[in-house]
Amino acid sequence: MNILYIMFDQLRFDYLSCAGHKTLHTPHIDRLASQGVRFTNAYTQSPVCGAARMSAYTGRYVSSHGAAWNNYPLRVGEMTLGDHLRDAGMDCWLIGKTHMKADAKGMERLGLSPDSVIGARQADCGFDVWCRDDGLWAEGPDGPYDQKRSPYNEYLKSKGYAGGNPWADHANAGVENGEIASGWFMKNADKAANVDEPDSETPWLTSQAIAFIEQAKSPWCAHVSYIKPHWPYIVPAPYHDMYDVDDIQPVIRSKREVVDPHPIYRAFTQGRVGKSFAQDHVREKVIPAYMGLIKQCDDQMGRLFDYLETTGRMNDTMIVLTSDHGDYLGDHWMGEKDLFHAPSVKVPLIVHDPRSSADATRGTTCEALVEAIDVTATFIEAAGGDVPDHIVEGRSLQPYLTGTPHPNPRNFAISEYDYSSHPVGTALNVPPKEARLFMVATQDWKLVHCEGGFRPMLFDLKNDPNELFDLGGDPDYEDTRAMLYDHLHTWARRPAQRVTISDAEIHAKRKIGARTGVLLGVYDEDEIAPDLRARYRGPSPKRPN
Amino acid sequence: MNILYIMFDQLRFDYLSCAGHKTLHTPHIDRLASQGVRFTNAYTQSPVCGAARMSAYTGRYVSSHGAAWNNYPLRVGEMTLGDHLRDAGMDCWLIGKTHMKADAKGMERLGLSPDSVIGARQADCGFDVWCRDDGLWAEGPDGPYDQKRSPYNEYLKSKGYAGGNPWADHANAGVENGEIASGWFMKNADKAANVDEPDSETPWLTSQAIAFIEQAKSPWCAHVSYIKPHWPYIVPAPYHDMYDVDDIQPVIRSKREVVDPHPIYRAFTQGRVGKSFAQDHVREKVIPAYMGLIKQCDDQMGRLFDYLETTGRMNDTMIVLTSDHGDYLGDHWMGEKDLFHAPSVKVPLIVHDPRSSADATRGTTCEALVEAIDVTATFIEAAGGDVPDHIVEGRSLQPYLTGTPHPNPRNFAISEYDYSSHPVGTALNVPPKEARLFMVATQDWKLVHCEGGFRPMLFDLKNDPNELFDLGGDPDYEDTRAMLYDHLHTWARRPAQRVTISDAEIHAKRKIGARTGVLLGVYDEDEIAPDLRARYRGPSPKRPN
């Protein structure tokens, strides 16, 4: 069996027709859902690209791997999906985005050269690279956001697209009176990107994926990782005008939310992004473009799935379709992600397992609490490996796919956010070590613990599914907060770094109790096994003269 | 300035005359105390050799480095004192014991060869090795406890000591009627080890230390790490009969302790070691030998300090004298270490700083709560480095040495114990992930949290300094336990793995806010700085035909 690990970037869990979106039809992704299981309570380990992805690729919590925000390097030696799959005899390839920043200092300390096989895998998050393109090719006075080469920009140039950065001036810009109408300005979100649709980012990456699969030797794992529907919010024709204001779903927010709000939530709403998305004209420009980007993604899924079906790969490939986090789009007076309301912290998660063992669950949904790192564990098991649960903190989703009771279901989900280098950290002047948030969610409740002396946030998911009433300071809910803090602290005490010895090896130590001559608490030889006594006897050897 | 980091193994904090021992006189160690600061509330990070030392050598908590018990490998890439000192321009050498087990799997994964400089340092806990001897050369039917070569055994052989393992049959055995009287049997603790005193382990390692210093180029750090007074409890003449039963201090225990005790404590007391040390005839054999071993250590310190004075090194060398943990010796119906009563978890800690800045505190004691990892931070600072507090969790003791207020004093101390492969884990049948204990101690209280659903232990250090009354289940102390749990959980949520980016680098990110072309939440160009607008303008480039 092969593994196709499809990840979109900033795709909301509820912007799919199979997830209930009223005006955005995604028949191809829905088709995958009809052939597999759609998880309705899937949480990202962090509502920000870099940290979420480092968790997805290591199967470990953000606090465990430490790469807590975008471009915080993943420490050298941290084991990844690629390491585990290769141990199980499966290659693990990257096609698209990882947002991985290499631990250059650590690699130098260990003498690892980036151009060695080992060094390259360390630098690319454990993947072998078919095509890496992190998808953000912006440039400013301080230089490019991303120093690497962009295969996508090279593709556009090879096709004859003009200018030094066709990603910026074609794929992510429209045209107005012959002038560049940059996609960085949201007022341009309703314009058609100045690129032929087949040459835009999503079809290009899909072609890369198909080219990879065409030549891949089974068993393979391919991480097909799209930058879209991530901003800049602009999409080529015909997707740019498929949706209009009437297609926008009602905004999820209440004026009450911003009356005497939690100081950290307030700081996010008062930043430029929050203020901008609080305005209806911004949402009315951006959301139709965002929907168009998703529609294009869905059409490309149709193309990819058709290819898999015609080649027979649909029958021997496990397909996971998910996202690294969501997008507020103005809900809760927020834009982007960063906090833990559902639009930001929940992710779409569809798992298609071609094996007959999964036939019973095809087309069903699963409401169990699951996390992004559970996908990692699922892949290791699907590849025939044993999940090394002293390293990988995810729990295989396999029981949910076969419709059998999960031996170790989650009674709470954890997500984390480190805002130590986010403008909010600066605005609130919170020291880097304290600029950290922890979410613990059950089916009924969501608590957000804030370091730095702030009160927690609390939402009643059953009676306030839209999370409009923060009960974090309400004395009536002290017991509920205590219950959720108990979950958080049980988790916080986990042995996440005891990664060099497995529980099985520990059990073996207990059973064997190696006899290596060390005697503890023994007064005389009568207390030890007769067959051992001879070792401690004999004529006393003479000392030298 | 140089650094001499002297560590004894299993030396109790209160078995020195400067620490109040009535019958054991340690004038040489007392002399060091009279020239420096003696810390009276110093805690080891774990009351077991391996874990305690991995913390001492990394400056990180056991939960942070993960090498939680003896021979649990220290993960490859974990930074050590040697890495930090070399960054500060100081060599870091090992003379004696580390109890380090290399992460062979991790090294292989990263292609690190043990015979390369980098690989060797990874395998030896970051030290360059002058002489490594872990000091336990036992052998049994399953082979040797330690697979490495023993420089000490080779020394004895070179001196003409007979037999395949003179460490066992000479240095750690007496003679009775011409027969080997093994030191592994405590009944033999009162016999003289069958070795000339100058050839025994402590003088031998002292000679190694002097030989190293003789040739060392300043600045150097030397970790002089003795196996003694660790068992086997046997010592050569004249130390074997210097002390007798009358010199033994009163045992610290109460029958009440073992009436309906905490199940984990009970399991330790009911193991062979506990049952053995509960007997007075065992204590009466062992303790005089243990005192003799310490007396020999003290005499060797006299020899070492005399050498340092005659060569002038006493004036340019920071000297730290400590131990990795203590020894119950029958107190609390326990032997060995493993739990958190003072005889086990507290360590002697004397710091001699030759600089005039420390003159004001010479000969004083400091009652502040300090931890073993604080020594690591002190060394980095003494070497002229900045303590990388995103990696090293210890806090420099420097303010206590200069008599200035500590900017960041500890209001609680943490120690941990992982009994997952200890016989108690087997006896109680506790799963490896739950066989873990956490101690949090303030000046007034000590709480022990036990994973696995056991109640905590609690001791009132002010009113019950001997820790004879476990209040862990007493409803009257619920608030006290809550206060201590709050400390524990504040600690448990620390960002211990964010090791690839410093707080200074994060602050720099905040200040700079690099301008790399990414615009978030911008509706139109009027919202950005005029000098940036040109980047997003210009004639729209034509698409290819």
Side-chain angles (χ1 to χ4, degrees):
Chain A
M1 188 165 66
N2 310 304
I3 293 170
L4 180 56
Y5 184 14
I6 301 167
M7 186 178 284
F8 291 101
D9 196 310
Q10 205 140 332
L11 172 61
R12 269 175 74 132
F13 78 102
D14 56 353
Y15 268 57
L16 301 171
S17 41
C18 59
H21 200 287
K22 300 281 185 302
T23 57
L24 175 61
H25 297 295
T26 52
H28 305 295
I29 293 174
D30 292 4
R31 184 170 102 212
L32 187 71
S34 73
Q35 297 171 2
V37 176
R38 184 170 63 83
F39 291 86
T40 61
N41 275 309
Y43 287 87
T44 181
Q45 255 50 64
S46 184
V48 64
C49 297
R53 289 162 179 274
M54 296 308 105
S55 284
Y57 305 149
T58 59
R60 288 159 62 74
Y61 290 102
V62 173
S63 290
S64 301
H65 60 66
W69 208 64
N70 292 336
N71 305 317
Y72 285 18
L74 181 69
R75 66 189 286 174
V76 66
E78 189 71 20
M79 283 189 81
T80 61
L81 179 62
D83 294 312
H84 299 301
L85 292 184
R86 281 187 291 272
D87 286 350
M90 179 182 277
D91 290 340
C92 188
W93 290 85
L94 171 68
I95 299 141
K97 169 172 179 169
T98 63
H99 219 130
M100 161 78 176
K101 184 169 169 84
D103 177 11
K105 277 188 227 156
M107 287 178 65
E108 185 186 356
R109 198 166 61 247
L110 295 182
L112 296 179
S113 158
D115 60 13
S116 65
V117 171
I118 290 172
R121 285 172 177 167
Q122 284 293 314
D124 282 314
C125 211
F127 292 104
D128 288 323
V129 176
W130 174 264
C131 164
R132 176 175 177 176
D133 191 297
D134 280 359
L136 290 179
W137 305 105
E139 291 172 272
D142 297 346
Y145 172 81
D146 186 335
Q147 302 282 350
K148 295 186 292 298
R149 57 183 272 281
S150 165
Y152 178 63
N153 246 340
E154 288 173 14
Y155 165 80
L156 289 179
K157 290 175 190 173
S158 73
K159 296 276 290 187
Y161 285 85
N165 187 349
W167 174 87
D169 299 339
H170 282 285
N172 288 282
V175 184
E176 188 171 39
N177 312 325
E179 292 282 307
I180 291 172
S182 174
W184 288 115
F185 302 120
M186 294 190 286
K187 70 172 183 182
N188 296 323
D190 58 352
K191 297 185 174 58
N194 184 22
V195 64
D196 298 333
E197 192 274 336
D199 292 333
S200 60
E201 291 159 278
T202 302
W204 170 77
L205 196 72
T206 305
S207 301
Q208 291 283 336
I210 290 169
F212 168 82
I213 297 167
E214 196 68 42
Q215 58 78 57
K217 285 180 206 56
S218 190
W220 47 262
C221 173
H223 179 44
V224 178
S225 186
Y226 292 92
I227 181 64
K228 293 303 180 183
H230 190 284
W231 42 256
Y233 300 106
I234 189 164
V235 62
Y239 299 99
H240 73 296
D241 63 0
M242 277 188 186
Y243 305 96
D244 62 26
V245 175
D246 302 339
D247 298 312
I248 299 175
Q249 305 219 319
V251 63
I252 301 168
R253 70 189 183 199
S254 154
K255 287 215 167 55
R256 186 187 279 95
E257 286 182 283
V258 285
V259 176
D260 186 27
H262 189 289
I264 293 173
Y265 169 67
R266 179 203 281 120
F268 274 101
T269 59
Q270 292 184 348
R272 185 168 64 185
V273 173
K275 280 182 177 165
S276 193
F277 276 89
Q279 304 173 71
D280 289 339
H281 71 274
V282 171
R283 296 180 56 251
E284 289 163 6
K285 281 276 190 175
V286 167
I287 293 176
Y290 180 73
M291 291 169 68
L293 285 164
I294 295 168
K295 184 65 177 176
Q296 184 186 27
C297 291
D298 187 66
D299 286 341
Q300 289 301 311
M301 290 300 97
R303 178 183 162 215
L304 180 59
F305 298 154
D306 289 346
Y307 169 80
L308 294 174
E309 268 168 7
T310 52
T311 55
R313 292 290 73 75
M314 196 61 102
N315 304 324
D316 62 10
T317 304
M318 172 179 277
I319 303 174
V320 165
L321 186 150
T322 189
S323 177
D324 57 349
H325 55 73
D327 190 329
Y328 273 105
L329 296 173
D331 290 347
H332 305 287
W333 314 96
M334 297 272 296
E336 277 276 72
K337 45 267 184 184
D338 308 320
L339 287 181
F340 302 101
H341 299 90
S344 170
V345 75
K346 282 181 72 171
V347 290
L349 177 60
I350 299 168
V351 182
H352 166 262
D353 181 342
R355 295 170 291 189
S356 57
S357 56
D359 289 347
T361 61
R362 300 195 191 286
T364 64
T365 58
C366 177
E367 297 184 350
L369 288 170
V370 299
E371 301 178 350
I373 57 177
D374 297 338
V375 172
T376 321
T378 307
F379 288 158
I380 295 167
E381 193 173 76
D386 294 324
V387 179
D389 69 359
H390 60 302
I391 302 171
V392 171
E393 299 179 287
R395 306 176 186 182
S396 175
L397 300 171
Q398 196 58 44
Y400 297 127
L401 304 178
T402 54
T404 50
H406 200 295
N408 189 19
R410 297 190 178 280
N411 54 344
F412 59 88
I414 295 286
S415 190
E416 304 175 70
Y417 190 73
D418 182 322
Y419 63 100
S420 56
S421 50
H422 186 285
V424 164
T426 314
L428 296 174
N429 193 26
V430 177
K433 284 189 172 49
E434 297 182 2
R436 298 177 299 122
L437 309 174
F438 298 84
M439 179 210 79
V440 52
T442 65
Q443 293 281 6
D444 297 351
W445 298 96
K446 182 183 289 180
L447 177 98
V448 177
H449 167 73
C450 313
E451 298 294 334
F454 301 96
R455 69 160 172 86
M457 307 177 200
L458 177 69
F459 297 99
D460 179 342
L461 302 181
K462 275 278 175 282
N463 300 304
D464 175 28
N466 285 334
E467 306 173 272
L468 299 174
F469 302 84
D470 178 1
L471 306 170
D474 188 328
D476 292 351
Y477 294 86
E478 205 169 295
D479 294 350
T480 303
R481 289 190 294 268
M483 175 271 292
L484 293 162
Y485 265 111
D486 188 52
H487 288 328
L488 176 64
H489 291 142
T490 298
W491 170 82
R493 298 189 311 260
R494 75 202 182 279
Q497 305 306 323
R498 199 175 66 186
V499 294
T500 59
I501 184 165
S502 70
D503 289 17
E505 289 170 310
I506 289 170
H507 277 297
K509 275 177 183 275
R510 288 183 178 184
K511 285 207 191 66
I512 297 164
R515 302 185 303 170
T516 57
V518 171
L519 299 180
L520 285 177
V522 175
Y523 189 75
D524 64 36
E525 69 172 30
D526 301 347
E527 300 169 27
I528 64 171
D531 65 307
L532 288 181
R533 293 173 192 164
R535 303 194 153 263
Y536 303 95
R537 284 188 189 146
S540 179
K542 285 250 174 317
R543 298 191 207 177
N545 299 330
Chain B
M1 187 165 65
N2 311 303
I3 294 171
L4 180 57
Y5 184 14
I6 301 167
M7 185 178 285
F8 292 102
D9 196 310
Q10 205 141 330
L11 172 61
R12 268 175 75 133
F13 78 101
D14 57 352
Y15 268 56
L16 301 171
S17 41
C18 59
H21 199 288
K22 299 283 186 302
T23 58
L24 175 60
H25 298 294
T26 52
H28 305 295
I29 293 174
D30 293 4
R31 185 171 97 208
L32 187 71
S34 73
Q35 297 170 3
V37 175
R38 184 171 64 83
F39 291 86
T40 61
N41 275 309
Y43 286 87
T44 180
Q45 255 51 64
S46 185
V48 64
C49 298
R53 289 163 180 273
M54 295 309 103
S55 284
Y57 305 149
T58 60
R60 288 160 61 75
Y61 290 102
V62 172
S63 290
S64 301
H65 61 66
W69 209 64
N70 292 336
N71 305 318
Y72 285 18
L74 182 69
R75 66 187 288 174
V76 65
E78 189 71 19
M79 283 189 80
T80 61
L81 178 62
D83 295 311
H84 300 300
L85 291 185
R86 282 186 291 270
D87 286 349
M90 180 182 277
D91 289 340
C92 187
W93 289 86
L94 171 67
I95 298 142
K97 169 171 180 171
T98 63
H99 219 129
M100 160 78 175
K101 184 170 170 84
D103 177 11
K105 279 187 225 157
M107 287 177 65
E108 186 185 356
R109 198 166 60 246
L110 295 182
L112 297 178
S113 159
D115 60 12
S116 66
V117 172
I118 290 171
R121 285 172 176 167
Q122 284 293 314
D124 281 314
C125 210
F127 292 103
D128 289 322
V129 176
W130 174 264
C131 164
R132 175 175 178 177
D133 192 297
D134 280 358
L136 290 179
W137 304 105
E139 289 173 273
D142 298 344
Y145 172 81
D146 186 334
Q147 302 282 350
K148 297 188 291 298
R149 57 182 272 281
S150 166
Y152 178 64
N153 244 341
E154 288 173 14
Y155 164 81
L156 290 179
K157 291 175 189 172
S158 74
K159 296 275 291 189
Y161 285 85
N165 186 349
W167 174 88
D169 299 339
H170 281 283
N172 289 281
V175 184
E176 187 172 39
N177 311 325
E179 292 282 309
I180 291 172
S182 174
W184 288 115
F185 303 120
M186 294 189 286
K187 71 173 181 180
N188 296 323
D190 57 353
K191 297 183 175 59
N194 184 22
V195 64
D196 298 333
E197 192 275 337
D199 293 333
S200 60
E201 291 158 277
T202 302
W204 170 76
L205 196 72
T206 305
S207 302
Q208 291 284 337
I210 290 170
F212 168 82
I213 298 168
E214 195 68 41
Q215 57 80 55
K217 287 180 204 58
S218 191
W220 47 263
C221 171
H223 179 44
V224 178
S225 186
Y226 293 92
I227 182 63
K228 293 303 180 184
H230 191 284
W231 44 255
Y233 300 106
I234 189 164
V235 61
Y239 298 99
H240 73 295
D241 63 0
M242 278 188 185
Y243 304 96
D244 62 26
V245 175
D246 303 338
D247 298 312
I248 300 174
Q249 304 219 321
V251 63
I252 301 168
R253 70 189 183 200
S254 153
K255 287 213 167 56
R256 186 186 279 96
E257 287 180 285
V258 286
V259 176
D260 186 26
H262 189 289
I264 293 173
Y265 169 67
R266 180 201 283 119
F268 274 101
T269 59
Q270 291 184 348
R272 184 168 64 185
V273 172
K275 280 182 175 165
S276 194
F277 277 88
Q279 304 173 71
D280 289 339
H281 71 274
V282 171
R283 297 180 54 252
E284 289 164 6
K285 281 275 190 176
V286 166
I287 294 176
Y290 180 74
M291 291 169 68
L293 284 165
I294 295 169
K295 183 67 176 175
Q296 183 186 28
C297 291
D298 186 66
D299 286 341
Q300 290 302 311
M301 290 300 97
R303 179 185 160 212
L304 179 59
F305 298 154
D306 288 346
Y307 169 79
L308 293 175
E309 268 169 8
T310 52
T311 55
R313 293 288 73 76
M314 195 61 99
N315 304 325
D316 62 11
T317 303
M318 171 179 279
I319 304 174
V320 165
L321 187 150
T322 188
S323 178
D324 57 348
H325 54 73
D327 190 328
Y328 274 106
L329 296 172
D331 290 347
H332 306 287
W333 313 96
M334 296 274 295
E336 277 276 70
K337 46 267 185 184
D338 308 319
L339 288 181
F340 302 101
H341 299 89
S344 170
V345 75
K346 282 180 71 173
V347 290
L349 177 60
I350 298 168
V351 182
H352 165 263
D353 181 342
R355 295 169 291 189
S356 57
S357 55
D359 289 347
T361 61
R362 301 196 191 284
T364 64
T365 58
C366 176
E367 297 184 350
L369 289 170
V370 300
E371 301 179 349
I373 57 177
D374 297 339
V375 172
T376 321
T378 307
F379 288 158
I380 295 167
E381 192 173 78
D386 293 324
V387 179
D389 69 359
H390 60 301
I391 302 170
V392 171
E393 299 179 286
R395 306 176 187 181
S396 174
L397 300 171
Q398 195 59 44
Y400 296 127
L401 305 178
T402 54
T404 50
H406 199 295
N408 189 20
R410 297 189 179 281
N411 55 343
F412 58 90
I414 294 285
S415 191
E416 304 175 71
Y417 190 74
D418 182 322
Y419 63 99
S420 56
S421 51
H422 186 285
V424 164
T426 314
L428 297 174
N429 193 27
V430 177
K433 284 190 172 48
E434 297 183 4
R436 298 177 299 121
L437 309 174
F438 298 84
M439 179 210 78
V440 52
T442 65
Q443 293 282 6
D444 296 350
W445 298 96
K446 181 184 289 180
L447 177 98
V448 177
H449 168 72
C450 313
E451 297 296 334
F454 301 96
R455 70 160 171 87
M457 308 177 201
L458 176 69
F459 297 99
D460 179 342
L461 302 181
K462 275 278 173 285
N463 299 304
D464 174 30
N466 285 335
E467 306 173 273
L468 299 176
F469 300 84
D470 178 1
L471 306 171
D474 188 329
D476 292 351
Y477 294 86
E478 206 168 297
D479 294 349
T480 304
R481 289 189 295 266
M483 175 269 292
L484 294 162
Y485 264 110
D486 188 53
H487 288 329
L488 176 64
H489 292 142
T490 298
W491 170 82
R493 298 189 312 260
R494 74 201 183 279
Q497 305 306 324
R498 198 174 68 187
V499 293
T500 59
I501 184 165
S502 69
D503 289 17
E505 289 170 310
I506 289 170
H507 277 297
K509 274 176 182 276
R510 288 182 178 183
K511 287 208 192 64
I512 297 164
R515 302 185 304 169
T516 57
V518 172
L519 299 180
L520 285 176
V522 175
Y523 189 74
D524 65 34
E525 68 172 30
D526 301 346
E527 299 170 28
I528 64 171
D531 65 307
L532 289 180
R533 294 173 191 163
R535 302 194 154 266
Y536 304 95
R537 284 188 189 142
S540 179
K542 286 249 173 314
R543 299 192 205 177
N545 299 331

